[in-house]
């Protein structure tokens, strides 16, 4: 798990008073070609309109992206809309209780059909009342000639997958095929949580004054976790550390972590979930990482000292002290599943220097606010952590935009940041036809 840094070239040593910052204004192809493994990206990756357009057209439109928890649309007719650049997609639960996705564009003259989220019996265009069933088929179009064939004007479908209660879409004509392989690995870990039947307790959209990649990179490491006092009160702050990375200062903490990990492994056996963790962030197109880690203290949830935040366990989880199942899916999502609730996160780009982080808290469908959980207490840790990270992302966006910024080396505990960045650069390199460097 330790990143092997590329030795600095004699002509491009790490930042020092005599090193010149890369000249701004390089093309995306030039940026991709000269990206150094083990180093942060050049500033133009976070500020360039050309790079942003590529991010939307290549990364977000040709790969599977996480867009919603299935629990957001529990009944037939429930829908959410998702904006991906200029595209808009309707994600709806149909009459067969399946989740479908369609381009949010009327087949008549292109009007947007639905906004935001809600419930519909049928999908009716607000312009000329063309009416579609929940499976996308055209039911009604007024004043058409006898030769008009409704079957030719169904809504255009978008690839959609429901992975144990997590909804992903892909806008490309041909979606990456290895999603099924990843689902086969991940799904057995998720089944005990029964996310499809969960209840949305709260959802918060947090505008970020930073490029979407900075939000993701920040989440991929705990090098900075001393700045998250609420989170580390329950969470061992040695995320991504191997034993050889442990300093004398961290040794007592690491010993406590090892003991808790052994106890959690036994509970995973009793629950019947797989024991193996997985790290395939940049070795396949549907990159992902899955770990099931113990929590500190009581080991139950994200409250202080690992205490529970909901008295009713989620899904079919048998033991409240079931640790934190953490899942990261490239390019835009991460998830935490605990014994008493789940928190799911998605990041969507909105401009070269802005993005939106959506956080959704899920609990057992029978859990009652005020009885089984206090909503503010349920959300305290991640509301605080997200806001603390928002400041870090804002400052990094400002710094990366500074003419003096020179990419710096990742530490030995930032290998998952490198995994994210390498996956991302690989997607651009493949699209642009840029040869990989050694």
């Amino acid at each position: 798990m330790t990143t092997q840094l590329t030795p600095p070239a004699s002509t491009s040593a790490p930042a020092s008073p005599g090193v010149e910052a890369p000249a701004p204004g390089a093309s995306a192809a030039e940026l991709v070609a000269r990206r150094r493994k083990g180093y942060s990206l050049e500033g133009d990756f976070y500020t360039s309109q050309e790079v942003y357009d590529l991010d939307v057209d290549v990364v977000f439109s040709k790969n599977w992206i996480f867009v919603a928890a299935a629990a957001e649309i529990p009944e037939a007719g429930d829908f959410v809309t998702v904006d991906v650049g200029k595209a808009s997609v309707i994600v709806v639960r149909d009459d067969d209780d399946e989740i479908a996705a369609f381009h949010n564009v009327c087949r008549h003259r292109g009007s947007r059909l639905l906004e935001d989220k809600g419930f519909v019996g049928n999908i009716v265009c607000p312009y000329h009342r063309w009416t579609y069933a929940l499976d996308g088929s055209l039911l009604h179009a007024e004043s058409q000639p006898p030769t008009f064939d409704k079957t030719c004007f169904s809504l255009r479908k978008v690839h959609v997958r429901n992975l144990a209660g997590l909804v992903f879409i892909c806008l490309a004509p041909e979606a990456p095929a290895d999603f099924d392989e990843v689902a086969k690995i991940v799904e057995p870990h998720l089944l005990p949580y029964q996310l499809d039947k969960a209840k949305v307790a709260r959802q918060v959209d947090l505008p970020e004054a930073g490029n979407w990649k900075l939000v993701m990179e920040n989440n991929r490491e705990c090098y900075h976790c001393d700045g998250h006092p609420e989170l580390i009160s329950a969470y061992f702050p040695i995320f991504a550390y191997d034993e050889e990375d442990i300093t004398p200062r961290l040794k007592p903490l690491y010993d406590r972590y090892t003991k808790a990990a052994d106890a959690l492994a036994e509970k995973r056996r009793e629950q019947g979930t797989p024991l193996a963790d997985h790290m395939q962030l940049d070795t396949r197109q549907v990159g992902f990482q899955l770990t099931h880690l113990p929590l500190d203290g009581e080991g139950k949830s994200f409250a202080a000292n690992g205490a529970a935040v909901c008295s009713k366990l989620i899904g079919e989880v048998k033991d409240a002290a079931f640790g934190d199942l953490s899942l990261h899916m490239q390019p835009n999502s991460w998830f935490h599943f605990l014994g008493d609730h789940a928190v799911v996160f998605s990041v969507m780009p909105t401009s070269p220097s802005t993005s939106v982080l959506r956080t959704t808290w899920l609990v057992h469908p029978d859990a009652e606010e005020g009885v089984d959980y206090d909503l503010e207490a349920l959300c305290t840790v991640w509301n605080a952590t997200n806001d603390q990270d928002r400041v870090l992302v804002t400052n990094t966006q400002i710094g990366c935009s500074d003419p003096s910024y020179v990419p710096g080396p990742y530490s030995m505990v930032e290998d998952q940041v490198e995994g994210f960045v390498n996956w991302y650069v690989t997607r651009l390199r493949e699209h642009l036809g840029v040869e990989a460097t050694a």
Side-chain angles (χ1 to χ4, degrees):
M1 293 174 60
T2 300
T3 300
Q4 297 297 316
L5 302 181
T6 302
S10 59
T11 56
S12 54
S16 69
V19 173
E20 293 185 2
S27 70
E30 291 170 327
L31 292 168
V32 169
R34 67 193 191 199
R35 193 264 158 169
R36 294 176 67 189
K37 183 179 180 181
Y39 281 73
S40 58
L41 295 172
E42 290 187 31
D44 281 346
F45 275 106
Y46 306 109
T47 60
S48 159
Q49 184 66 45
E50 181 194 5
V51 173
Y52 172 76
D53 291 341
L54 279 172
D55 287 357
V56 172
D57 294 342
V58 177
V59 177
F60 277 80
S61 299
K62 294 185 178 180
N63 291 281
W64 290 100
I65 58 172
F66 172 68
V67 293
E72 296 176 52
I73 47 175
E75 305 291 339
D78 288 340
F79 74 89
V80 297
T81 61
V82 182
D83 293 334
V84 184
K86 295 179 181 178
S88 178
V89 176
I90 300 167
V91 180
V92 62
R93 191 175 289 270
D94 66 21
D95 291 325
D96 295 324
D97 204 32
E98 298 294 326
I99 294 177
F102 307 101
H103 288 279
N104 191 7
V105 178
C106 184
R107 293 298 310 277
H108 179 211
R109 287 170 56 186
S111 173
R112 279 282 183 265
L113 295 164
L114 299 174
E115 300 289 339
D116 197 19
K117 62 180 70 175
F119 169 82
V120 291
N122 293 309
I123 299 171
V124 181
C125 179
Y127 197 179
H128 300 98
R129 313 302 295 174
W130 279 38
T131 302
Y132 305 87
L134 298 181
D135 65 1
S137 60
L138 179 61
L139 297 174
H140 172 73
E142 192 174 288
S143 304
Q144 299 299 323
T147 56
F148 180 76
D149 185 353
K150 290 189 292 187
T151 64
C152 294
F153 297 96
S154 297
L155 293 178
R156 296 184 63 202
K157 293 184 176 180
V158 172
H159 297 290
V160 63
R161 291 293 304 272
N162 180 1
L163 174 56
L166 306 175
V167 181
F168 296 79
I169 65 170
C170 179
L171 291 167
E174 297 293 331
D178 59 338
F179 191 93
D180 288 341
E181 297 173 11
V182 173
K184 188 175 180 179
I185 297 170
V186 171
E187 194 167 36
H189 293 265
L190 300 183
L191 290 178
Y193 302 93
Q194 296 196 324
L195 301 174
D196 223 349
K197 300 177 181 177
K199 181 177 78 173
V200 176
R202 175 172 280 182
Q203 185 171 79
V204 174
D205 285 349
L206 180 66
E208 301 265 7
N211 184 277
W212 70 275
K213 297 186 289 291
L214 292 178
V215 181
M216 296 302 301
E217 292 168 22
N218 176 73
N219 175 262
R220 290 299 78 213
E221 48 91 0
C222 210
Y223 196 28
H224 69 281
C225 280
D226 283 348
H228 294 313
E230 296 84 0
L231 184 63
I232 62 174
S233 70
Y235 201 67
F236 290 98
I238 49 176
F239 176 69
Y241 280 62
D242 287 325
E243 187 169 3
E244 60 268 25
D245 301 326
I246 300 300
T247 63
R249 180 178 69 86
L250 294 174
K251 185 64 168 57
L253 177 68
Y254 185 73
D255 290 343
R256 195 165 75 244
Y257 165 80
T258 302
K259 184 178 180 180
D262 291 342
L264 176 61
E266 184 59 33
K267 292 173 182 177
R268 292 169 69 181
R269 291 187 188 93
E270 293 171 359
Q271 185 74 47
T273 57
L275 293 181
D277 293 341
H278 301 272
M279 185 71 68
Q280 300 181 30
L281 284 172
D282 57 355
T283 55
R284 58 163 67 240
Q285 186 157 358
V286 180
F288 77 105
Q289 164 264 326
L290 183 150
T291 54
H292 198 151
L293 300 174
L295 295 172
D296 206 353
E298 296 181 36
K300 296 178 179 178
S301 197
F302 283 142
N305 197 38
V309 292
C310 181
S311 62
K312 194 174 289 296
L313 299 184
I314 193 168
E316 295 182 340
V317 173
K318 299 175 182 176
D319 194 313
F322 202 49
D324 171 28
L325 174 63
S326 172
L327 173 65
H328 169 81
M329 298 283 286
Q330 309 281 34
N332 78 318
S333 57
W334 69 90
F335 314 86
H336 291 283
F337 309 101
L338 303 107
D340 61 349
H341 74 291
V343 200
V344 303
F345 306 80
S346 64
V347 180
M348 296 298 290
T350 51
S351 80
S353 59
T354 61
S355 51
V356 173
L357 169 64
R358 171 166 290 180
T359 305
T360 306
W361 288 263
L362 304 172
V363 296
H364 191 283
D366 297 332
E368 295 184 39
E369 182 183 350
V371 177
D372 298 301
Y373 65 95
D374 177 89
L375 188 58
E376 295 306 316
L378 178 75
C379 305
T380 291
V381 167
W382 278 105
N383 274 338
T385 302
N386 285 345
D387 196 56
Q388 292 151 3
D389 282 334
R390 178 189 60 77
V391 175
L392 299 175
V393 168
T394 298
N395 288 337
T396 308
Q397 179 72 36
I398 294 170
C400 290
S401 305
D402 190 298
S404 69
Y405 165 65
V406 178
Y410 296 134
S411 74
M412 293 188 295
V413 294
E414 294 177 291
D415 53 324
Q416 292 190 28
V417 183
E418 171 61 25
F420 167 77
V421 169
N422 190 45
W423 180 92
Y424 163 76
V425 171
T426 299
R427 302 284 82 75
L428 295 192
R429 181 180 293 125
E430 292 172 346
H431 176 78
L432 296 168
V434 175
E435 292 289 334
T437 56

